Amino acid sequence: MRQPFIAGNWKMYKTMAEAESFAQLFRSYKRKEGVKVAICAPFTDLPVLKRAFSYSGIMTGAQNVHFEDRGAYTGEVSLPMLKELGVECCVVGHSERRAYFGETDETVNKKLLKLLSGSQITPILCVGERLEEREAGRQTEVVAAQIEKDFAGMTEDQAVRTVIAYEPIWAIGTGKTATPDQAEEMCAFIRKKIGELFGQETADQIIIQYGGSVKPANVKEIMAQPDIDGALVGGASLDPEKFLEIVNF
Ligand code: 13P
């Protein structure tokens, strides 16, 4: 049985004061049981969220981590730093980091292995194709290559602890959601690929989220798909009421 997992990705939104007001409001709402919930926030918000979400069952996540423990890497944050904060999850390889900050499948792989071998933090690995790749019918080829490279060198135990977020780049922040059929087709394909690499048991257990313009109006249909276990929500996670509607799908 795979437990539904809905995570918000705040990207570069919300100051500490804004994070505090969101968290106080959001934790006061009645949430449906049995759904895991996380907010992945800018580094400066993490101590605020950890405190504000204590004993609420809501998890706090980072949006990036470096693959070295320490060193001359100006502007970066390491795993020991995240562990001291007590974050429960960490986004890795978001398409915005791949597009604007030189993240490659090689660095994504190193970051995943770092998190999995050095902590109990759940990585949320983002994969997905660009619009021109989808238009050329290359989406499965592109995502298969990402999965192969990003999961390189992992054991089955490590693979199963990794959450995969399928986020077609053309659906991010555009208001253009993939149709439930398109999303399901790709998430089923990803599960099959994980089965080929790590066996059926791992494929049956791994959590796969869909991300890209998820909102209260489309979450139910998306969550009804058999191979979609959750959502990674950008814009709509910034508003506590909208995010509540999503987690209570
Ligand atoms: P939107 O929900 O704003 O389209 O963003 C999706 C996303 O990138 C989540 O990581």
Side-chain angles (χ1 to χ4, degrees):
M1 222 353 227
R2 299 189 296 264
Q3 189 178 10
F5 178 24
I6 310 264
N9 172 14
W10 279 357
K11 308 191 178 184
M12 197 176 70
Y13 291 97
K14 293 201 193 287
T15 66
M16 290 192 285
E18 290 163 346
E20 179 76 38
S21 4
F22 176 101
Q24 293 306 342
L25 205 56
F26 188 71
R27 73 163 291 156
S28 72
Y29 295 151
K30 180 143 181 53
R31 300 192 314 276
K32 166 161 137 180
E33 276 173 37
V35 179
K36 276 203 217 175
V37 179
I39 292 284
C40 302
F43 291 124
T44 47
D45 294 342
L46 298 178
V48 173
L49 292 185
K50 271 306 290 183
R51 204 175 333 106
F53 285 153
S54 57
Y55 303 103
S56 69
I58 303 160
M59 297 186 287
T60 299
Q63 299 173 358
N64 188 26
V65 63
H66 198 274
F67 49 80
E68 296 290 351
D69 279 344
R70 64 188 66 76
Y73 299 106
T74 303
E76 290 293 304
V77 167
S78 72
L79 182 60
M81 296 168 189
L82 291 186
K83 281 166 75 172
E84 217 170 281
L85 277 170
V87 301
E88 287 94 352
C89 43
C90 181
V91 175
V92 177
H94 192 280
S95 58
E96 288 149 16
R97 294 218 56 88
R98 294 179 192 251
Y100 311 137
F101 301 100
E103 193 85 84
T104 63
D105 287 313
E106 197 190 353
T107 55
V108 166
N109 176 245
K110 285 188 185 174
K111 291 176 179 194
L112 291 175
L113 291 173
K114 183 80 208 174
L115 283 164
L116 293 162
S117 61
S119 76
Q120 292 302 313
I121 297 173
T122 299
I124 304 178
L125 162 68
C126 302
V127 297
E129 79 285 358
R130 282 189 265 268
L131 181 60
E132 54 280 20
E133 291 163 340
R134 158 109 4 205
E135 282 172 349
R138 294 183 52 227
Q139 61 272 21
T140 50
E141 180 196 325
V142 167
V143 170
Q146 288 175 330
I147 298 279
E148 274 167 28
K149 292 181 196 156
D150 299 349
F151 277 81
M154 270 193 214
T155 62
E156 281 170 29
D157 285 349
Q158 291 176 329
V160 83
R161 285 170 46 208
T162 305
V163 170
I164 303 174
Y166 167 63
E167 300 206 311
I169 296 171
W170 47 272
I172 295 180
T174 57
K176 247 195 208 174
T177 328
T179 65
D181 283 353
Q182 283 173 323
E184 166 59 19
E185 188 186 28
M186 288 303 289
C187 291
F189 171 77
I190 290 168
R191 199 177 297 287
K192 189 169 119 255
K193 186 78 205 164
I194 291 294
E196 284 164 22
L197 296 170
F198 297 102
Q200 193 57 43
E201 209 180 317
T202 307
D204 288 341
Q205 288 177 43
I206 200 163
I207 299 296
I208 305 180
Q209 299 174 324
Y210 166 79
S213 300
V214 174
K215 41 190 181 252
N218 59 24
V219 65
K220 229 186 172 64
E221 243 192 322
I222 289 166
M223 290 302 293
Q225 304 304 313
D227 286 291
I228 302 180
D229 310 312
L232 187 56
V233 185
S237 72
L238 296 170
D239 178 302
E241 285 180 18
K242 274 193 196 154
F243 192 54
L244 177 73
E245 276 190 68
I246 293 174
V247 305
N248 283 350
F249 68 92

